[in-house]
Amino acid sequence: MRNLLFLVLVIFFLSCEEDKANPYVVIPYEVEEVQTDLFQSWGFLYFTDRIRNRRDHPPADLVRFSSEGLFGRIRVRFTKNPSTLSEDEGMWTFHGAGPVNGFGGAYQVDEEKGKIWSNGRIGSTYKGSTKTMMDFEDRYFSALRSMRSFSIHKNLLTIRFGDSTDEMVFAQINLPETQTSDEFKLNQPSLPQ
């Protein structure tokens, strides 16, 4: 009888324990019929795993640390500006904002074949946040470093990365010119002191 009571208590306490899974937030967006190309600003929506048919959304901490709203908080802009770094000859720049830090890098694209690749490096600012936010940002930056191909359907951009079974999905955003000033630019030379 005492074992049965113990088992009931264990089951009760386990069922009352808080869900330890990482809570996430679904970013609202609208799919719109537009003609667009890669060279825009794109707001991150989620990661997908094509094999497991699973979506991974940003962590719920994003709500707590985002005063300007969720859509476009995590973003990337692909430009046709040439990289000024000598080792990136023939590459263009991209920049944007992760969940915590601004970033910049260089990439090449073959629009006809839908291919895109980074130079494998991303420079970023160095702010800190919760472990969940920093882990998500590391995943986001790693995905950008290992881009392989892309496709655009309506106002949605899908970038395949790694072994091409994982994807990032973005929706086109129209940022006012003043909002791009906070984005990190990797290729800006530092001024002498």
Side-chain angles (χ1 to χ4, degrees), residues 3-165:
N3 288 342
L4 180 62
L5 180 60
F6 178 73
L7 181 63
V8 168
L9 285 173
V10 167
I11 292 172
F12 174 76
F13 284 117
L14 289 176
S15 65
C16 292
E17 187 164 333
E18 188 178 307
D19 182 11
K20 299 292 184 188
N22 288 332
Y24 62 88
V25 61
V26 176
I27 298 174
Y29 65 97
E30 290 183 36
V31 177
E32 298 172 358
E33 192 71 43
V34 296
Q35 292 290 331
T36 190
D37 58 26
L38 180 67
F39 311 107
Q40 309 293 326
S41 290
W42 299 94
F44 178 85
L45 299 174
Y46 52 84
F47 288 106
T48 62
D49 180 329
R50 294 187 323 161
I51 292 174
R52 293 186 189 97
N53 197 25
R54 188 181 81 202
R55 288 183 180 181
D56 290 330
H57 297 273
D61 285 352
L62 189 64
V63 174
R64 196 169 60 173
F65 295 111
S66 184
S67 59
E68 70 265 7
L70 295 176
F71 183 61
R73 171 65 187 97
I74 303 172
R75 61 187 177 271
V76 65
R77 178 168 182 82
F78 294 98
T79 74
K80 290 186 177 181
N81 299 332
S83 174
T84 58
L85 300 176
S86 60
E87 62 268 24
D88 294 339
E89 188 174 332
M91 300 186 93
W92 293 332
T93 62
F94 67 93
H95 55 88
V100 181
N101 291 291
F103 67 88
Y107 76 103
Q108 287 182 317
V109 65
D110 182 335
E111 288 183 271
E112 289 180 13
K113 293 181 180 177
K115 301 291 183 191
I116 187 170
W117 56 97
S118 161
N119 63 3
R121 297 183 314 272
I122 290 183
S124 71
T125 57
Y126 293 103
K127 295 179 190 172
S129 187
T130 65
K131 180 175 178 3
T132 304
M133 292 279 278
M134 296 310 294
D135 289 347
F136 193 84
E137 183 165 272
D138 287 344
R139 183 178 180 197
Y140 179 59
F141 288 172
S142 177
L144 289 169
R145 280 191 293 272
S146 63
M147 296 181 289
R148 300 285 180 252
S149 61
F150 75 97
S151 61
I152 297 173
H153 177 70
K154 298 186 179 184
N155 64 328
L156 299 178
L157 167 67
T158 301
I159 297 177
R160 283 163 288 293
F161 62 94
D163 64 2
S164 294
T165 61

Side-chain angles (χ1 to χ4, degrees), residues 162-186:
D163 64 2
S164 294
T165 61
D166 293 319
E167 301 174 331
M168 294 182 285
V169 178
F170 298 82
Q172 184 179 356
I173 55 177
N174 297 313
L175 292 177
E177 204 54 40
T178 57
Q179 195 163 353
T180 61
S181 64
D182 68 336
E183 296 180 287
F184 180 82
K185 301 223 172 131
L186 177 66

